[in-house]
Each structure stands twice: as C-alpha cells, then as structure tokens.
Amino acid sequence: MAEINNSVYTKIIEGDYGYVLEDVPHLIDYIPDLPTYHNPLKDNPAYAVVKQYFVHMDDSVMQKVVVHKDTPRGIHFRRAGPRQKVYFDSDEVHACIVTCGGLCPGLNTVIREIVCGLYHMYGVHKVIGIDGGYKGFYAKNTKTLDPKVVDDIHKRGGTILGTSRGGHDTTKIVDSIEDRGINQVYIIGGDGTQKGAAVIYEEIRRRGLKVAVAGIPKTIDNDIPVIDRSFGFDTAVEEAQRAINAAHVEAESMENGIGLVKLMGRYSGFIAMHATLASRDVDCCLIPESPFYLDGKGGLFEYMEKRLKEHGHMVIVIAEGAGQELLSENRDEKDASGNKLLKDVGLWMSHKIKEHFTQRRKMIINLKYIDPTYMIRAIPSNASDSVYCTLLAQSAVHGAMAGFTGFTSGLVNGRHTYIPFHRITERQNQVVITDRMWARLLSSTNQPSFLGAKEIAKAKKEEADAAQSVDDSENCNNNSA
C-alpha cells in the first residue's frame, strides 16, 4: 500500500513482516500516462556481456542490517541502477549540473561522471554546468559540458563549475530551469543544499513540469545521516595523516613537544576520530560530540602533564567544532548557508596550553600548531573516493533517466540506493560517544573520556531516546495501513 503525503510528497509502501519501503517520487506521480522508451544500454556494446545488468523494480535495500529473529524487516530504500524502460528520450534530455557549498575532494569526479554517464550510456548530448552555485541559475552564465571538456578534471581539486553559499531563490531558479528547457537537474551539495533541492523539486512538481531532480550528497565531515559515508571523507582522513605525522615528528624532536592539529568537523568529529584511529600517534582526540574541560581533576591539562612526564611529547587532534562552548564571546552568527560561524578553537587552545604550562606550571614546552583544513578539502579525491564518486554519479543518472525525482543517490549498507530528500536532511549524523567506535578510540589513545557519571548517563539516555524514536516511527508506519 502506498501513502502519499502532499506536504513533502513522501511515499510509503508496506509489505509483509513489517516491510516498509520509503520510496522516492516518480514523474508519473503527478504527470500520468508518460511514454516510456527503450533503454539505450540494451544496445550498448560495453554492457552486452553483463548478465542481469538491469535492476528489478522491486529491488530494495534495508536500512538496518542487524536485526533479531522476531523484529520487523524494517525500513528499506529503493535500489539504484538502470531500468529496462526510461522516461526520457535521449534526444530530448537537457541536463544541468550545479555544485553548492564548501569544497570537497571528488566534486570534479562527480561532475565528470555525470557528463560521461549521460553521453556514453544514454546518448545525451545537451549538458550544461551552472556557474557559481544556486545563484548561478539566474545571475551567471552556464558552461557547456561534454566528455572532452571534463576529460581530466578529476585530477584537480575544487569544482570547475564554481560554488557559493546561499543565493537560493526558488522561484527564480525554477523560472530559469523552465525558460532554458532543462529537464534533468543534478545538484551536488551538503544538507543545506539538499534542503534547497527538495524545495526546487516541490516547486517543479507544483508547476507540473517534466523535470527530474537528483541530488548527490556532499560533505567532507560525513555528517549526512542514513548513508554509509559521504564522498571525500576517505580522502580527508588519508590527507589528515600527513598533518598528524608532521605534528608527531615535531613533538618527539623537542623537549616536552606538543603537536596540536585542527581538523574539519563543524558539528561531527568523524574526520578527527578516524584520523586518530588510523594514525596511532595521537594521544588525545577532541570532538564536538564529547564535551571536555581544561582545569581540575580529570581535565585535559592534568592528562597532558601526566602524558608529558611519561613520554616527553604528545599529539592532540581537535575538530574545529569542539570546545566552542569554552570560548569567550561565542556569538550565535551564521554564514550564508545557515552554518554557525565558529571561533578558531585550535588557535585558542594553543594559547591556553602555553599559558597553563609556561605561566602557571612553569614548565618548558614546545608547541607546534598545524591547521591543514583548507589544504585537505582542496585536493583531488583518492582512489577509494574516486570509485565511490563514479558510482554515485552513475546511480543518479540511471535514476533520473528512469523517471525518479526528488531523491538523493547514496550508499546504504554497501548498496547504492535512492533516498527521499527529507531523510538525509532531517538531522545531522554525529559520533555516538556511547558507541563501540568511540570506545575503541579511547582505548587507542588511552585518554580520559572527560565525562562524569551524569554526562555518561545523559548521553546514554539521549541515544536510547533517539533509537526509541526511530522504532516508534517504524511501528507507526507498520500500523498505518
């Protein structure tokens, strides 16, 4: 049974044993009797030898892998991939690509693979790039894209289309899409960008336009929920190793050497956590999800003194969003994308450490502060992310050609899926400090958790409440026949 909520156009399909498919919209939901076409991939020699290349319409991917024998089958998402029939004739397709928000390794790879996927797999020859983010739809010129133009852009960092924050004017954007005759829109960006994509889809649907809107989630911080990881994250963790290694070399070469490395992570400490686990040279990792304090018993300074006396040096990794509540004059200001403007916690921390040890404890220390954040996000993607970007881009192309719209292409439990916009914008993915991964980090660094009994109990309660909320949502879906 399918249930359509007209406010956000959600589609819920229910099956036996508690099966729930959170489906994505399709063009025929609001434009009935659309003609279908022969999928060009059937005649593509590259795919002639592939068995069962086309995805069955009933294929779905479950959100939770670990289940109990008596629990419902739970929430599923539609599996990504090419379909037997498509809803666009190749000659009629006029596609556009836009990148929004901050830079991230892999942006150019995604652009390249969307263009090449449309050209080589589906014979589409009208693809343009929107220059400068959302405002480029109505304020700037476009760029014609073809395989020759994008041939080697994956070797470069950044985005050849340019990017910006803010500038979202739904009416102007959809007017531009309609005026230009664009019928496929590929939007690459983070949660704010995907929220904008959802609004664009809703306006397109309200106008009854045959335009497919597909999102590719982008965030170097890995803070988008539901999906396994975001592209660029592996590259960021790998590149962070260089900074951590430099900090370690500096620290161990001097008396009471301290290497302090600030990594990206506005609200989520995934880069800092994974880089710390991968490095094995880090003595303390500080992230936004885990509060810490400096002075007193069990505080950071006490731990640092102990570590320096035992080893003579130490390395600290801190995420940019950690400890913001400790900084003075922490005003609630936001950038054009709605992100909270952060103070430089790394620079603040370096001053606090120097003040404590040199003025209060009268200890000689040699502190080196390294901030590689913009260097990390400006590099090309590594091999792992490049493959991931290719599959994300091709999945988005397959989905748009098959008539799906209002979706994000994402990896769920190792399978590529189509996820409704509202699921990947409903909250931010964060490190769970009562989970095994954070426990592994504490064991690896041997650092204190900086949490008292009350804080631990509170964290466990919040996690239990969140899990109960998800279970209640699934039960509600199961009972709403």
Short mmCIF file of all heavy atoms in Angstrom, two decimals, residues 217-277:
data_model
loop_
_atom_site.label_atom_id
_atom_site.label_comp_id
_atom_site.label_asym_id
_atom_site.label_seq_id
_atom_site.Cartn_x
_atom_site.Cartn_y
_atom_site.Cartn_z
N PRO A 217 24.81 13.72 -2.38
CA PRO A 217 25.17 14.32 -1.08
C PRO A 217 26.66 14.57 -0.95
O PRO A 217 27.47 13.69 -1.25
CB PRO A 217 24.69 13.28 -0.07
CG PRO A 217 24.72 11.99 -0.81
CD PRO A 217 24.41 12.32 -2.24
N LYS A 218 27.02 15.78 -0.54
CA LYS A 218 28.43 16.15 -0.42
C LYS A 218 28.68 16.78 0.93
O LYS A 218 28.04 17.77 1.30
CB LYS A 218 28.80 17.15 -1.53
CG LYS A 218 30.22 17.70 -1.46
CD LYS A 218 30.26 19.22 -1.49
CE LYS A 218 29.57 19.84 -0.31
NZ LYS A 218 29.79 21.29 -0.16
N THR A 219 29.54 16.18 1.72
CA THR A 219 30.03 16.82 2.94
C THR A 219 31.31 16.11 3.35
O THR A 219 31.33 14.89 3.51
CB THR A 219 29.02 16.77 4.08
OG1 THR A 219 29.67 17.13 5.30
CG2 THR A 219 28.42 15.39 4.26
N ILE A 220 32.36 16.87 3.51
CA ILE A 220 33.63 16.27 3.90
C ILE A 220 33.57 15.76 5.34
O ILE A 220 34.32 14.87 5.73
CB ILE A 220 34.77 17.31 3.73
CG1 ILE A 220 36.14 16.62 3.65
CG2 ILE A 220 34.73 18.35 4.83
CD1 ILE A 220 37.26 17.55 3.26
N ASP A 221 32.63 16.32 6.14
CA ASP A 221 32.54 15.94 7.55
C ASP A 221 31.83 14.62 7.79
O ASP A 221 31.79 14.13 8.92
CB ASP A 221 31.78 17.02 8.34
CG ASP A 221 32.56 18.34 8.42
OD1 ASP A 221 33.77 18.32 8.18
OD2 ASP A 221 31.94 19.36 8.73
N ASN A 222 31.22 14.04 6.76
CA ASN A 222 30.50 12.77 6.87
C ASN A 222 29.30 12.90 7.82
O ASN A 222 28.93 11.94 8.51
CB ASN A 222 31.42 11.65 7.37
CG ASN A 222 30.85 10.27 7.12
OD1 ASN A 222 30.25 10.01 6.09
ND2 ASN A 222 31.04 9.38 8.07
N ASP A 223 28.65 14.07 7.83
CA ASP A 223 27.57 14.30 8.79
C ASP A 223 26.18 14.18 8.19
O ASP A 223 25.21 14.67 8.77
CB ASP A 223 27.73 15.67 9.47
CG ASP A 223 27.74 16.83 8.48
OD1 ASP A 223 27.61 16.58 7.26
OD2 ASP A 223 27.87 17.99 8.91
N ILE A 224 26.05 13.53 7.02
CA ILE A 224 24.74 13.29 6.42
C ILE A 224 24.23 11.93 6.91
O ILE A 224 24.94 10.93 6.81
CB ILE A 224 24.81 13.33 4.89
CG1 ILE A 224 25.08 14.76 4.42
CG2 ILE A 224 23.53 12.81 4.25
CD1 ILE A 224 25.19 14.93 2.93
N PRO A 225 23.01 11.88 7.44
CA PRO A 225 22.50 10.62 8.00
C PRO A 225 22.12 9.61 6.92
O PRO A 225 22.11 9.93 5.74
CB PRO A 225 21.27 11.07 8.80
CG PRO A 225 20.79 12.28 8.09
CD PRO A 225 22.03 12.98 7.59
N VAL A 226 21.80 8.42 7.35
CA VAL A 226 21.31 7.29 6.54
C VAL A 226 22.43 6.65 5.72
O VAL A 226 22.63 5.44 5.75
CB VAL A 226 20.14 7.69 5.61
CG1 VAL A 226 19.67 6.48 4.80
CG2 VAL A 226 18.98 8.26 6.41
N ILE A 227 23.19 7.45 4.95
CA ILE A 227 24.20 6.88 4.05
C ILE A 227 25.41 6.38 4.85
O ILE A 227 25.69 6.85 5.95
CB ILE A 227 24.66 7.89 2.97
CG1 ILE A 227 25.32 9.12 3.62
CG2 ILE A 227 23.49 8.30 2.11
CD1 ILE A 227 25.91 10.09 2.60
N ASP A 228 26.12 5.41 4.26
CA ASP A 228 27.29 4.83 4.92
C ASP A 228 28.38 5.87 5.15
O ASP A 228 28.99 5.94 6.21
CB ASP A 228 27.86 3.67 4.09
CG ASP A 228 26.91 2.49 4.01
OD1 ASP A 228 25.88 2.52 4.69
OD2 ASP A 228 27.21 1.55 3.26
N ARG A 229 28.65 6.65 4.13
CA ARG A 229 29.65 7.72 4.23
C ARG A 229 29.45 8.67 3.07
O ARG A 229 28.80 8.34 2.09
CB ARG A 229 31.08 7.15 4.20
CG ARG A 229 31.53 6.62 2.85
CD ARG A 229 32.96 6.10 2.88
NE ARG A 229 33.48 5.82 1.56
CZ ARG A 229 33.24 4.73 0.86
NH1 ARG A 229 32.46 3.78 1.38
NH2 ARG A 229 33.76 4.55 -0.34
N SER A 230 30.01 9.85 3.19
CA SER A 230 29.93 10.82 2.11
C SER A 230 31.23 10.82 1.32
O SER A 230 32.29 10.50 1.87
CB SER A 230 29.65 12.22 2.67
OG SER A 230 30.60 12.55 3.67
N PHE A 231 31.15 11.17 0.02
CA PHE A 231 32.37 11.17 -0.78
C PHE A 231 33.30 12.30 -0.30
O PHE A 231 32.86 13.34 0.16
CB PHE A 231 32.06 11.28 -2.27
CG PHE A 231 31.63 12.63 -2.76
CD1 PHE A 231 32.56 13.62 -3.07
CD2 PHE A 231 30.29 12.92 -2.97
CE1 PHE A 231 32.17 14.86 -3.54
CE2 PHE A 231 29.88 14.16 -3.45
CZ PHE A 231 30.82 15.13 -3.73
N GLY A 232 34.59 12.05 -0.40
CA GLY A 232 35.59 13.00 0.09
C GLY A 232 36.05 12.71 1.49
O GLY A 232 37.13 13.16 1.91
N PHE A 233 35.28 11.92 2.24
CA PHE A 233 35.63 11.64 3.63
C PHE A 233 36.90 10.79 3.72
O PHE A 233 37.81 11.09 4.50
CB PHE A 233 34.47 10.95 4.33
CG PHE A 233 34.78 10.50 5.73
CD1 PHE A 233 34.96 11.42 6.74
CD2 PHE A 233 34.90 9.15 6.04
CE1 PHE A 233 35.25 11.01 8.04
CE2 PHE A 233 35.18 8.73 7.32
CZ PHE A 233 35.35 9.66 8.32
N ASP A 234 36.96 9.72 2.93
CA ASP A 234 38.16 8.87 2.95
C ASP A 234 39.41 9.67 2.59
O ASP A 234 40.47 9.49 3.19
CB ASP A 234 38.00 7.70 1.97
CG ASP A 234 37.18 6.56 2.56
OD1 ASP A 234 36.81 6.66 3.74
OD2 ASP A 234 36.92 5.58 1.84
N THR A 235 39.28 10.54 1.59
CA THR A 235 40.40 11.38 1.17
C THR A 235 40.84 12.30 2.30
O THR A 235 42.03 12.48 2.56
CB THR A 235 40.03 12.21 -0.06
OG1 THR A 235 39.57 11.34 -1.10
CG2 THR A 235 41.21 13.01 -0.56
N ALA A 236 39.86 12.88 2.99
CA ALA A 236 40.17 13.80 4.09
C ALA A 236 40.90 13.08 5.22
O ALA A 236 41.87 13.61 5.77
CB ALA A 236 38.88 14.42 4.62
N VAL A 237 40.45 11.88 5.56
CA VAL A 237 41.10 11.12 6.62
C VAL A 237 42.53 10.76 6.22
O VAL A 237 43.47 10.87 7.01
CB VAL A 237 40.29 9.85 6.95
CG1 VAL A 237 41.07 8.94 7.91
CG2 VAL A 237 38.94 10.21 7.55
N GLU A 238 42.69 10.35 4.96
CA GLU A 238 44.02 9.98 4.47
C GLU A 238 44.97 11.19 4.47
O GLU A 238 46.12 11.09 4.90
CB GLU A 238 43.91 9.42 3.05
CG GLU A 238 45.22 8.92 2.47
CD GLU A 238 45.02 8.31 1.10
OE1 GLU A 238 44.28 7.32 1.00
OE2 GLU A 238 45.58 8.83 0.12
N GLU A 239 44.48 12.33 4.01
CA GLU A 239 45.33 13.52 3.95
C GLU A 239 45.63 14.05 5.35
O GLU A 239 46.70 14.62 5.58
CB GLU A 239 44.64 14.61 3.11
CG GLU A 239 45.49 15.81 2.81
CD GLU A 239 46.68 15.51 1.89
OE1 GLU A 239 46.69 14.43 1.27
OE2 GLU A 239 47.59 16.37 1.82
N ALA A 240 44.71 13.86 6.29
CA ALA A 240 44.94 14.32 7.66
C ALA A 240 46.13 13.61 8.29
O ALA A 240 46.77 14.14 9.21
CB ALA A 240 43.69 14.08 8.51
N GLN A 241 46.43 12.41 7.78
CA GLN A 241 47.59 11.67 8.30
C GLN A 241 48.89 12.44 8.12
O GLN A 241 49.80 12.36 8.95
CB GLN A 241 47.70 10.31 7.60
CG GLN A 241 46.49 9.41 7.73
CD GLN A 241 46.16 9.12 9.18
OE1 GLN A 241 46.94 8.50 9.89
NE2 GLN A 241 45.01 9.57 9.61
N ARG A 242 48.98 13.19 7.03
CA ARG A 242 50.20 13.97 6.78
C ARG A 242 50.41 15.01 7.88
O ARG A 242 51.51 15.21 8.38
CB ARG A 242 50.12 14.65 5.41
CG ARG A 242 49.98 13.71 4.24
CD ARG A 242 49.84 14.51 2.94
NE ARG A 242 49.56 13.66 1.81
CZ ARG A 242 50.47 13.06 1.05
NH1 ARG A 242 51.76 13.26 1.30
NH2 ARG A 242 50.13 12.30 0.03
N ALA A 243 49.33 15.71 8.23
CA ALA A 243 49.43 16.72 9.27
C ALA A 243 49.74 16.10 10.62
O ALA A 243 50.56 16.63 11.39
CB ALA A 243 48.12 17.51 9.34
N ILE A 244 49.09 14.97 10.92
CA ILE A 244 49.33 14.31 12.20
C ILE A 244 50.77 13.79 12.27
O ILE A 244 51.44 13.91 13.31
CB ILE A 244 48.32 13.16 12.41
CG1 ILE A 244 46.91 13.73 12.58
CG2 ILE A 244 48.71 12.30 13.60
CD1 ILE A 244 45.81 12.68 12.62
N ASN A 245 51.25 13.25 11.18
CA ASN A 245 52.63 12.75 11.15
C ASN A 245 53.62 13.89 11.36
O ASN A 245 54.61 13.74 12.10
CB ASN A 245 52.91 12.05 9.82
CG ASN A 245 54.30 11.46 9.77
OD1 ASN A 245 54.67 10.60 10.57
ND2 ASN A 245 55.11 11.95 8.83
N ALA A 246 53.37 15.05 10.71
CA ALA A 246 54.25 16.20 10.89
C ALA A 246 54.25 16.67 12.34
O ALA A 246 55.30 17.00 12.91
CB ALA A 246 53.82 17.34 9.95
N ALA A 247 53.05 16.69 12.94
CA ALA A 247 52.94 17.10 14.33
C ALA A 247 53.69 16.14 15.26
O ALA A 247 54.35 16.57 16.22
CB ALA A 247 51.47 17.18 14.74
N HIS A 248 53.63 14.86 14.93
CA HIS A 248 54.32 13.85 15.75
C HIS A 248 55.83 14.00 15.64
O HIS A 248 56.55 13.92 16.65
CB HIS A 248 53.88 12.46 15.32
CG HIS A 248 54.50 11.36 16.13
ND1 HIS A 248 55.45 10.49 15.62
CD2 HIS A 248 54.33 11.01 17.44
CE1 HIS A 248 55.81 9.64 16.57
NE2 HIS A 248 55.15 9.94 17.67
N VAL A 249 56.31 14.21 14.43
CA VAL A 249 57.76 14.39 14.22
C VAL A 249 58.25 15.62 14.98
O VAL A 249 59.30 15.60 15.64
CB VAL A 249 58.08 14.51 12.72
CG1 VAL A 249 59.53 14.93 12.51
CG2 VAL A 249 57.80 13.19 12.01
N GLU A 250 57.52 16.72 14.87
CA GLU A 250 57.90 17.95 15.58
C GLU A 250 57.90 17.72 17.08
O GLU A 250 58.83 18.14 17.79
CB GLU A 250 56.94 19.08 15.22
CG GLU A 250 57.07 19.63 13.81
CD GLU A 250 58.25 20.58 13.68
OE1 GLU A 250 58.86 20.93 14.72
OE2 GLU A 250 58.58 20.97 12.54
N ALA A 251 56.84 17.07 17.59
CA ALA A 251 56.70 16.90 19.03
C ALA A 251 57.80 16.02 19.62
O ALA A 251 58.38 16.37 20.67
CB ALA A 251 55.33 16.30 19.34
N GLU A 252 58.09 14.89 18.97
CA GLU A 252 59.06 13.97 19.56
C GLU A 252 60.50 14.45 19.40
O GLU A 252 61.40 13.88 19.99
CB GLU A 252 58.90 12.58 18.95
CG GLU A 252 59.31 12.45 17.52
CD GLU A 252 59.23 11.02 17.01
OE1 GLU A 252 58.93 10.14 17.83
OE2 GLU A 252 59.47 10.81 15.81
N SER A 253 60.71 15.50 18.63
CA SER A 253 62.07 16.01 18.39
C SER A 253 62.47 17.08 19.39
O SER A 253 63.61 17.56 19.37
CB SER A 253 62.18 16.59 16.97
OG SER A 253 61.91 15.59 16.02
N MET A 254 61.54 17.49 20.27
CA MET A 254 61.84 18.57 21.20
C MET A 254 61.45 18.19 22.62
O MET A 254 60.64 17.30 22.84
CB MET A 254 61.08 19.84 20.78
CG MET A 254 61.47 20.38 19.42
SD MET A 254 60.61 21.92 19.05
CE MET A 254 61.28 22.27 17.41
N GLU A 255 62.00 18.92 23.56
CA GLU A 255 61.68 18.70 24.97
C GLU A 255 60.23 19.10 25.22
O GLU A 255 59.81 20.21 24.89
CB GLU A 255 62.60 19.53 25.86
CG GLU A 255 62.31 19.37 27.35
CD GLU A 255 63.17 20.28 28.20
OE1 GLU A 255 63.94 21.08 27.64
OE2 GLU A 255 63.05 20.20 29.45
N ASN A 256 59.48 18.18 25.82
CA ASN A 256 58.06 18.43 26.08
C ASN A 256 57.36 18.99 24.83
O ASN A 256 56.62 19.98 24.89
CB ASN A 256 57.87 19.40 27.25
CG ASN A 256 58.24 18.77 28.59
OD1 ASN A 256 58.15 17.56 28.76
ND2 ASN A 256 58.64 19.59 29.55
N GLY A 257 57.59 18.31 23.74
CA GLY A 257 56.98 18.74 22.48
C GLY A 257 55.51 18.40 22.42
O GLY A 257 55.08 17.31 22.81
N ILE A 258 54.73 19.36 21.96
CA ILE A 258 53.28 19.17 21.81
C ILE A 258 52.90 19.52 20.38
O ILE A 258 53.14 20.64 19.92
CB ILE A 258 52.47 20.06 22.79
CG1 ILE A 258 52.84 19.73 24.24
CG2 ILE A 258 50.97 19.86 22.57
CD1 ILE A 258 52.22 20.69 25.25
N GLY A 259 52.32 18.56 19.68
CA GLY A 259 51.80 18.82 18.34
C GLY A 259 50.29 18.93 18.40
O GLY A 259 49.61 18.01 18.84
N LEU A 260 49.75 20.06 18.00
CA LEU A 260 48.31 20.32 18.03
C LEU A 260 47.80 20.46 16.60
O LEU A 260 48.25 21.34 15.86
CB LEU A 260 48.01 21.60 18.83
CG LEU A 260 46.55 22.05 18.90
CD1 LEU A 260 45.69 21.01 19.60
CD2 LEU A 260 46.44 23.39 19.61
N VAL A 261 46.89 19.58 16.21
CA VAL A 261 46.37 19.56 14.83
C VAL A 261 44.87 19.82 14.85
O VAL A 261 44.12 19.11 15.54
CB VAL A 261 46.65 18.20 14.15
CG1 VAL A 261 46.11 18.22 12.72
CG2 VAL A 261 48.14 17.89 14.16
N LYS A 262 44.43 20.83 14.11
CA LYS A 262 42.99 21.09 13.99
C LYS A 262 42.49 20.53 12.67
O LYS A 262 43.05 20.83 11.60
CB LYS A 262 42.70 22.60 14.05
CG LYS A 262 41.19 22.90 14.05
CD LYS A 262 40.89 24.38 14.03
CE LYS A 262 41.01 24.97 12.65
NZ LYS A 262 40.53 26.36 12.57
N LEU A 263 41.44 19.72 12.74
CA LEU A 263 40.86 19.11 11.55
C LEU A 263 39.42 19.59 11.38
O LEU A 263 38.81 20.11 12.31
CB LEU A 263 40.90 17.59 11.65
CG LEU A 263 42.28 16.96 11.74
CD1 LEU A 263 42.17 15.45 11.93
CD2 LEU A 263 43.11 17.27 10.50
N MET A 264 38.86 19.40 10.18
CA MET A 264 37.50 19.82 9.92
C MET A 264 36.51 18.95 10.71
O MET A 264 36.80 17.80 11.04
CB MET A 264 37.20 19.75 8.43
CG MET A 264 38.10 20.65 7.61
SD MET A 264 37.57 20.84 5.91
CE MET A 264 36.28 22.06 6.11
N GLY A 265 35.36 19.52 11.00
CA GLY A 265 34.33 18.84 11.78
C GLY A 265 33.54 19.86 12.55
O GLY A 265 33.75 20.05 13.75
N ARG A 266 32.62 20.54 11.86
CA ARG A 266 31.86 21.63 12.47
C ARG A 266 30.95 21.11 13.59
O ARG A 266 30.92 21.63 14.69
CB ARG A 266 31.04 22.34 11.40
CG ARG A 266 30.25 23.53 11.88
CD ARG A 266 29.45 24.13 10.75
NE ARG A 266 30.31 24.66 9.72
CZ ARG A 266 30.82 25.89 9.73
NH1 ARG A 266 30.54 26.70 10.72
NH2 ARG A 266 31.60 26.30 8.75
N TYR A 267 30.16 20.10 13.27
CA TYR A 267 29.25 19.52 14.24
C TYR A 267 29.56 18.05 14.53
O TYR A 267 29.05 17.49 15.50
CB TYR A 267 27.80 19.61 13.74
CG TYR A 267 27.34 21.02 13.43
CD1 TYR A 267 27.14 21.43 12.12
CD2 TYR A 267 27.14 21.95 14.44
CE1 TYR A 267 26.71 22.72 11.83
CE2 TYR A 267 26.72 23.24 14.16
CZ TYR A 267 26.51 23.62 12.85
OH TYR A 267 26.11 24.90 12.58
N SER A 268 30.35 17.43 13.68
CA SER A 268 30.62 15.99 13.78
C SER A 268 32.12 15.73 13.74
O SER A 268 32.82 16.29 12.90
CB SER A 268 29.93 15.23 12.64
OG SER A 268 28.54 15.53 12.61
N GLY A 269 32.57 14.85 14.62
CA GLY A 269 34.01 14.62 14.73
C GLY A 269 34.51 13.38 14.01
O GLY A 269 35.51 12.77 14.43
N PHE A 270 33.87 13.00 12.91
CA PHE A 270 34.25 11.76 12.23
C PHE A 270 35.67 11.81 11.65
O PHE A 270 36.42 10.84 11.74
CB PHE A 270 33.26 11.42 11.12
CG PHE A 270 31.93 10.94 11.63
CD1 PHE A 270 30.82 11.77 11.64
CD2 PHE A 270 31.79 9.66 12.13
CE1 PHE A 270 29.60 11.33 12.11
CE2 PHE A 270 30.58 9.20 12.61
CZ PHE A 270 29.48 10.04 12.60
N ILE A 271 36.05 12.93 11.03
CA ILE A 271 37.39 13.01 10.46
C ILE A 271 38.43 12.89 11.56
O ILE A 271 39.40 12.12 11.45
CB ILE A 271 37.58 14.34 9.68
CG1 ILE A 271 36.70 14.36 8.43
CG2 ILE A 271 39.05 14.52 9.28
CD1 ILE A 271 36.79 15.67 7.65
N ALA A 272 38.25 13.64 12.65
CA ALA A 272 39.20 13.59 13.76
C ALA A 272 39.27 12.19 14.36
O ALA A 272 40.36 11.67 14.64
CB ALA A 272 38.80 14.60 14.84
N MET A 273 38.12 11.54 14.54
CA MET A 273 38.10 10.21 15.14
C MET A 273 38.78 9.18 14.25
O MET A 273 39.64 8.41 14.71
CB MET A 273 36.66 9.77 15.42
CG MET A 273 36.54 8.38 16.03
SD MET A 273 34.85 7.91 16.48
CE MET A 273 34.12 7.70 14.86
N HIS A 274 38.43 9.15 12.97
CA HIS A 274 39.01 8.15 12.07
C HIS A 274 40.49 8.42 11.81
O HIS A 274 41.29 7.48 11.70
CB HIS A 274 38.23 8.11 10.76
CG HIS A 274 36.93 7.38 10.87
ND1 HIS A 274 36.76 6.09 10.39
CD2 HIS A 274 35.75 7.72 11.40
CE1 HIS A 274 35.52 5.69 10.63
NE2 HIS A 274 34.88 6.66 11.24
N ALA A 275 40.87 9.70 11.70
CA ALA A 275 42.28 10.02 11.50
C ALA A 275 43.10 9.61 12.72
O ALA A 275 44.23 9.14 12.60
CB ALA A 275 42.44 11.51 11.22
N THR A 276 42.53 9.78 13.91
CA THR A 276 43.22 9.38 15.14
C THR A 276 43.40 7.87 15.20
O THR A 276 44.48 7.36 15.50
CB THR A 276 42.42 9.86 16.37
OG1 THR A 276 42.42 11.28 16.40
CG2 THR A 276 43.02 9.32 17.66
N LEU A 277 42.33 7.14 14.88
CA LEU A 277 42.42 5.68 14.89
C LEU A 277 43.41 5.17 13.86
O LEU A 277 44.14 4.20 14.10
CB LEU A 277 41.03 5.07 14.64
CG LEU A 277 40.09 5.06 15.84
CD1 LEU A 277 38.67 4.74 15.40
CD2 LEU A 277 40.55 4.07 16.89
#
